Amino acid sequence: MSGHWIHLCIDMQRMFAEDTPWRVAWMSKVSPAIVEIASRYPDQTIFTRFIPPLRAEQMPGAWQAYYRKWQDMTLDRLDRDLIDLVSELRRFVPPARIFDKMTYSPWMSGQLHRVLQTEAVETLVITGGETDVCVLAAVLGGIDLGYRIRVLTDAICSGADDTHDATLKLLGDRFSVQLDLLETETFLKKAASAR
């Protein structure tokens, strides 16, 4: 595998793994693959966390309507421990790093991109959830910023099977020059052989 790469793991948090309105049942299924990558490459792993506002009114525009719908997921109602990473991944921090975000995309503040640029990162290896929301936002933003993207298909999850499948088809069909879809084992073999 050529070029410096980072494992960008999207929103593997307790609030999506546990019994909340935002629970993603598949998360437990993909966790072992993510743990395998993070355990082999903790210093090359970055975890994002989706951080809700205290109240809906603290967000701009249409985000206010979103959080009025999901009031139980605002920080004035949600157990704040639930925003943390799932325990099986938390143990890798440090040396793995955490970047917090308040939108689907991790690129909005510009901070993550600045850090990756200073580290000469060329490729993003994407895992986490949800395929059709935050993972998709991370992938498309990464493509726009010029990164080569590798999406590990057995290490991403969604709460909706149909849109998960449709997103993978969209990415594979429309972005094949800038993106690869592959399984974790295939990626790990390529990464090991490049050492």
Side-chain angles (χ1 to χ4, degrees):
M1 203 167 99
S2 62
H4 185 54
W5 61 271
I6 284 289
H7 168 215
L8 185 61
C9 180
I10 308 298
D11 303 354
M12 290 293 288
Q13 296 164 256
R14 290 181 55 197
M15 67 181 176
F16 301 117
E18 297 182 21
D19 188 19
T20 73
W22 286 352
R23 182 173 181 264
V24 179
W26 284 26
M27 193 167 273
S28 61
K29 182 180 175 185
V30 302
S31 286
I34 297 171
V35 167
E36 187 64 28
I37 299 163
S39 67
R40 291 193 199 188
Y41 300 100
D43 56 328
Q44 287 177 255
T45 295
I46 293 175
F47 296 106
T48 67
R49 295 189 311 180
F50 184 80
I51 309 296
L54 188 63
R55 289 178 295 281
E57 297 73 32
Q58 293 180 318
M59 293 297 284
W63 280 107
Q64 290 184 19
Y66 178 84
Y67 280 109
R68 281 193 288 274
K69 176 180 178 179
W70 298 108
Q71 286 184 38
D72 287 342
M73 298 304 291
T74 57
L75 292 182
D76 63 350
R77 297 188 184 190
L78 185 70
D79 176 352
R80 290 180 187 223
D81 289 342
L82 293 176
I83 67 170
D84 205 358
L85 298 174
V86 294
S87 60
E88 59 265 31
L89 296 174
R90 183 73 182 104
R91 63 189 164 109
F92 298 115
V93 180
R97 294 170 282 175
I98 293 175
F99 275 79
D100 291 339
K101 62 192 179 74
M102 294 189 77
T103 60
Y104 301 137
S105 172
W107 307 112
M108 293 298 291
S109 74
Q111 182 184 6
L112 178 59
H113 180 55
R114 282 191 295 276
V115 167
L116 297 182
Q117 290 299 109
T118 62
E119 296 174 5
V121 171
E122 298 173 8
T123 300
L124 304 177
V125 178
I126 307 281
T127 65
E130 290 191 61
T131 310
D132 42 350
V133 186
C134 293
V135 167
L136 180 61
V139 167
L140 293 179
I143 288 171
D144 281 345
L145 290 167
Y147 295 100
R148 178 73 186 169
I149 307 290
R150 289 195 155 97
V151 177
L152 304 189
T153 57
D154 59 339
I156 57 172
C157 59
S158 175
D161 292 354
D162 290 347
T163 49
H164 167 86
D165 294 343
T167 301
L168 288 179
K169 180 166 178 32
L170 168 73
L171 293 175
D173 289 352
R174 297 300 300 268
F175 299 97
S176 60
V177 173
Q178 297 154 309
L179 174 144
D180 296 313
L181 299 174
L182 63 162
E183 292 191 352
T184 302
E185 185 178 344
T186 303
F187 165 73
L188 288 172
K189 284 179 183 173
K190 287 182 179 188
S193 67
R195 280 185 162 180

